[in-house]
Amino acid sequence: MPHLKNDLFLRACKKEKIERTPVWIMRQAGRYLPEYRAVREKADFLTMCKTPELAAEVTIQPIDIIGTDAAIIFSDILVIPEAMGMHLDMIEGKGPVFEKPIRSKEDADELKVIDPVKDLKYVLDAVSLTKKELNGRVPLIGFSGSPWTLLTYMVEGKGSKSFSVIKKMIYANPKLAHSLLDKIADAVSEYLSAKIEAGADAVQIFDTWGGILSQSDFHEFSLPYIEKIIANIKRKDEPVIVFAKGVHYRLGKLSKCGADVIGLDWTMDLNKVRTRIGDRVALQGNLDPTVLYASKEKIKDEVEKVLAAYGKGSGHIFNLGHGILPDIKPENAKALVDYVKELSKKYH
Ligand code: CP3
């Protein structure tokens, strides 16, 4: 493995001393880049995920074009249910759709127990190829959805506003929900261990839909499975990041889940969160993604605000509070990265 030339991201995850704050962007390999769209024109989304050469190419694009301090492997959280046997369509303008969502014990019984090393080998191949092609320029992040967020898609079948189908399951048939969550947690643990084995330098667990649960339901249906995964991941010193959108008051418990880094959405005050849990974990975030629609001056001001909110010292990884939107101008994303690099020096 080549030695990392830029390891700011990994050092910040461990709160080691650094020269400036590292920055990467959730969904940085995506449609806002014309170079991504050019590849995507030739192949559909799943084909891209399943072709290591294409996945590696688009993973590295944002490193070349906007200069982020970490790469995140191009893939999707939904490759796990797809490998379990659920047919997945990625529909333009609508998002992911499962033809036959899980609604009953009979549906659940049809799910395959997967061996990620075999059934998701294409992701692992993409990780090792990307690692090779990055040649130590920046660290590579592997990721997965949390069991709760994956189950939400598997049961709803698509994106949702009310989440009534999955909520109905947790209230009408909690036993079924728990058995599915447990099955998914086992698959995710092995999947993330295999990604680390294939070369990922860190892993991030996305709990995009943790925030739709009440406090007690979050503690029953999401957090224990995240904790189980973190306890079971085979790793040396590769950091684990947990991004749970809309978690607010659950930060105290979340900061004790075993993660090295907690990702925050833009509704949270980085300063207050640091005071509360910053001695235990590093923090990642949390610029409102829509700030990237603004002028360069405004982007600069908002970057400064986020940096000032965290304040002096290591333990902050700059990111957006959620994924970059497809109609953002690449030059604005590049400006953001440049501002973080320039303005963060005085905090170290
Ligand atoms: O961050 C990166 O650059 C790595 C790649 C990545 C993708 N999806 C690629 C993608 C990552 C980390 C994800 C995670 C993901 N996927 C999440 C969790 C993070 C979050 O945003 O909350 C979720 C909920 C999904 C499920 C998913 N995949 C949705 C809802 C959609 C449709 C919305 C959209 O942006 O189109 C996808 C499709 C998807 N995943 C695309 C990309 C680049 C766009 C597909 C295309 O090119 O047509």
Side-chain angles (χ1 to χ4, degrees):
M1 258 331 140
H3 189 70
L4 283 170
K5 294 173 193 107
N6 171 353
D7 64 353
L8 285 170
F9 163 76
L10 294 175
R11 282 193 277 150
C13 289
K14 292 178 205 146
K15 301 211 282 180
E16 291 170 14
K17 198 169 158 43
I18 42 177
E19 307 77 61
R20 63 162 176 85
T21 306
V23 51
W24 70 279
I25 297 178
M26 288 191 276
R27 295 286 191 98
Q28 64 188 16
R31 284 166 301 179
Y32 73 104
L33 289 176
E35 293 83 352
Y36 171 89
R37 293 198 302 271
V39 178
R40 178 75 172 73
E41 234 161 64
K42 292 179 278 171
D44 67 48
F45 178 73
L46 273 175
T47 304
M48 276 173 69
C49 292
K50 292 182 179 184
T51 312
E53 292 73 22
L54 295 180
E57 181 181 350
V58 297
T59 299
I60 297 171
Q61 282 177 351
I63 312 305
D64 292 331
I65 302 163
I66 62 168
T68 45
D69 293 305
I72 178 161
I73 189 69
F74 178 81
S75 183
D76 199 80
I77 62 167
L78 301 177
V79 296
I80 289 187
E82 206 253 351
M84 289 174 150
M86 297 184 72
H87 179 83
L88 173 66
D89 283 313
M90 210 45 96
I91 298 172
E92 208 70 57
K94 193 167 172 215
V97 177
F98 287 115
E99 196 172 58
K100 200 172 162 293
I102 308 296
R103 298 287 160 84
S104 64
K105 181 161 185 317
E106 290 69 41
D107 296 340
D109 289 342
E110 278 181 36
L111 289 172
K112 269 202 316 186
V113 176
I114 57 163
D115 173 0
V117 177
K118 283 203 210 93
D119 300 309
L120 290 160
K121 184 173 180 297
Y122 64 87
V123 184
L124 306 175
D125 290 344
V127 168
S128 20
L129 182 64
T130 306
K131 202 50 202 165
K132 191 166 148 244
E133 291 186 357
L134 276 172
N135 193 26
R137 286 167 66 194
V138 292
L140 178 62
I141 305 169
F143 69 90
S144 168
S146 71
W148 168 252
T149 291
L150 289 175
L151 186 64
T152 300
Y153 278 104
M154 290 161 76
V155 171
E156 293 284 341
K158 53 184 183 331
S160 170
K161 285 202 171 72
S162 63
F163 298 95
S164 56
V165 192
I166 178 68
K167 292 248 178 144
K168 185 167 155 195
M169 182 188 279
I170 66 172
Y171 293 122
N173 200 346
K175 242 179 93 184
L176 177 61
H178 278 300
S179 84
L180 281 161
L181 288 164
D182 205 51
K183 207 169 176 177
I184 300 166
D186 288 339
V188 171
S189 307
E190 288 190 25
Y191 180 54
L192 291 178
S193 300
K195 274 186 169 171
I196 290 172
E197 175 73 28
D201 299 289
V203 290
Q204 174 156 323
I205 299 170
F206 285 92
D207 194 15
T208 304
W209 299 126
I212 64 164
L213 289 168
S214 73
Q215 215 170 140
S216 62
D217 286 341
F218 181 77
H219 290 137
E220 179 175 349
F221 293 99
S222 186
L223 193 56
Y225 297 98
I226 293 176
E227 286 170 342
K228 181 179 180 186
I229 292 165
I230 298 177
N232 288 341
I233 294 176
K234 291 183 200 72
R235 55 174 173 149
K236 289 192 281 294
D237 56 356
E238 292 82 1
V240 176
I241 308 167
V242 172
F243 171 72
K245 188 163 172 281
V247 293
H248 302 281
Y249 43 80
R250 307 168 184 117
L251 283 170
K253 279 241 169 74
L254 196 61
S255 69
K256 293 182 191 141
C257 72
D260 303 274
V261 184
I262 299 296
L264 305 172
D265 70 47
W266 64 93
T267 62
M268 290 191 253
D269 180 330
L270 206 46
N271 186 264
K272 287 203 184 108
V273 177
R274 184 182 185 183
T275 308
R276 204 164 145 217
I277 62 169
D279 55 339
R280 267 199 293 277
V281 287
L283 302 176
Q284 177 173 280
N286 71 340
L287 186 75
D288 185 331
T290 57
V291 164
L292 292 178
Y293 290 121
S295 66
K296 301 259 170 54
E297 295 70 39
K298 175 74 175 162
I299 295 172
K300 188 173 181 181
D301 284 352
E302 295 291 324
V303 165
E304 184 68 66
K305 271 192 221 160
V306 172
L307 290 170
Y310 187 83
K312 277 200 179 264
S314 189
H316 178 214
I317 298 127
F318 202 105
N319 206 316
L320 301 179
H322 199 191
I324 188 168
L325 295 158
D327 58 345
I328 292 297
K329 285 193 218 138
E331 62 175 281
N332 286 12
K334 169 108 177 48
L336 163 87
V337 169
D338 290 341
Y339 291 139
V340 175
K341 290 181 178 176
E342 172 197 331
L343 300 171
S344 66
K345 286 185 198 137
K346 59 179 178 290
Y347 293 97
H348 295 278

